[in-house]
Every structure is written in structure tokens, then in C-alpha cells.
Amino acid sequence: MHVAKGWWSLGRIGLCLPYAWSGVSKLLDFPGAVAEQAHFGMVPPALYAAGVIVVQLGGCLAVLFCRGRWRAGGAIVLALFTIAATVIGHKYWTMAGMQRVHTLNSFLEHAGLVGGFVLIAAQALHRGGVGGDEEEEEEEEEE
């Protein structure tokens, strides 16, 4: 069971990496984060920038370091955030040509991230909300 546990951890790290990187980058360059939100028409941009940082870093912390409902909550928050950000930032339906192709590809890649977070939430809620971690440890002790 240790191998399976390691793969779940690696998967969670991989899913969270872009969000952690983005959140830290925005935190270190808050004026740039505000400008990004203004670019997408978010008003007031500073409030949205702060919210994005909290969601990205808080969601990552929950997915990476919590269990059960907290991990599932972090995964769902990041999934919902990704849906909103993708619809706002990757409007392929307003484009033509190669720009449309590239933007649609990015849109679909983000849909894949949402799917990954849904799987993380489902795994975390498996068997009564403990994420399967305690059951794995109990099964190992019984052997």
C-alpha cells in the first residue's frame, strides 16, 4: 500500500504545482497580480488578486497537507476556481484561426485539471471522509 500512497501524493503535488507557483508569484508581485485582474475586467482588481492568492495557496495547502473533508474541500475549491478562471481567461469561442486552436487546447487542459481535483476530492471522502489513509495503515497492521 505504500506505493499507492506515494502515487497519490505525487499526483496531488503535480496538480497543485501550477496553483502554488501562481499564488507565490502573485504574492511576490502583487502589483502584477492586480494588473492581471484588471486585464480580465475584474473590479476591484486588488480584491480579486488577494482572493486568487488565498484560494490558490489555501487550496494547495489543504490538498497537500490535510485529509478527509479538508482535503476534499481544498480540491473542490481549486476545481471551482479553475472552472471560473478558465471561462474568464480562455474564451476560445470569441476567437478564430490558430489563436482559437491554442486557446481551446488550454481550455481543455484546464478541464483535465478540474477532473484531477474531482478525483482527489472523491478519494479524500472515500470510506467516511478519511481519504483512505487510515484504512491503508490498519490493513498493513493486520497483515
Side-chain angles (χ1 to χ4, degrees):
M1 291 300 197
H2 290 292
V3 173
K5 197 181 225 182
W7 285 112
W8 277 107
S9 295
L10 184 62
R12 290 194 317 271
I13 291 167
L15 280 170
C16 286
L17 181 61
Y19 299 87
W21 181 270
S22 177
V24 169
S25 296
K26 286 173 175 51
L27 192 60
L28 295 175
D29 180 18
F30 192 71
V34 172
E36 179 182 39
Q37 295 305 310
H39 168 78
F40 288 113
M42 309 307 285
V43 178
L47 181 62
Y48 277 95
V52 167
I53 292 167
V54 169
V55 166
Q56 288 181 326
L57 296 181
C60 286
L61 289 172
V63 168
L64 294 173
F65 300 110
C66 294
R67 290 184 177 183
R69 289 183 179 97
W70 285 100
R71 180 179 291 166
I76 296 299
V77 164
L78 287 173
L80 293 173
F81 167 79
T82 302
I83 291 168
T86 302
V87 170
I88 291 167
H90 299 285
K91 297 178 182 179
Y92 69 89
W93 55 89
T94 65
M95 301 169 184
M98 288 307 295
Q99 184 183 23
R100 178 186 173 92
V101 170
H102 291 300
T103 305
L104 175 58
N105 285 341
S106 184
F107 187 96
L108 295 174
E109 289 167 0
H110 284 78
L113 290 168
V114 170
F117 284 121
V118 169
L119 289 174
I120 294 299
Q123 187 267 347
L125 294 174
H126 180 68
R127 294 189 185 177
V130 294
D133 294 340
E134 282 83 2
E135 282 79 13
E136 288 179 10
E137 292 169 10
E138 289 173 12
E139 290 172 6
E140 290 172 14
E141 291 172 8
E142 292 172 3
E143 293 176 359

